[in-house]
Amino acid sequence: MTEGAATAATMATLLSTIGEVLNAAVGWIGVIANVVTSTPLFMIGVVIMFVGVGIGLVSRLLHL
């Protein structure tokens, strides 16, 4: 096998593995989103987090 073919096979394997990891991550995010939206207590925490991020961004923009 030539070096170019070995590199191509390795790159294909790498891209395949990255795709599998991304698919798994999207699945995990879906599970987490279902848990958060089905539990109001978790939803309150998420809303508070987004409000905090928004306040932080506005604060940084005002101090430019």
Side-chain angles (χ1 to χ4, degrees):
M1 187 186 310
T2 64
E3 185 176 332
T7 304
T10 304
M11 187 59 83
T13 305
L14 177 66
L15 291 175
S16 174
T17 304
I18 290 172
E20 291 175 13
V21 170
L22 288 176
N23 283 336
V26 168
W28 298 332
I29 290 171
V31 170
I32 292 170
N34 285 336
V35 170
V36 168
T37 56
S38 67
T39 309
L41 187 61
F42 289 147
M43 196 65 151
I44 291 169
V46 170
V47 168
I48 290 172
M49 181 184 66
F50 278 125
V51 168
V53 168
I55 290 171
L57 289 174
V58 169
S59 174
R60 288 182 183 190
L61 286 173
L62 291 176
H63 287 99
L64 285 177

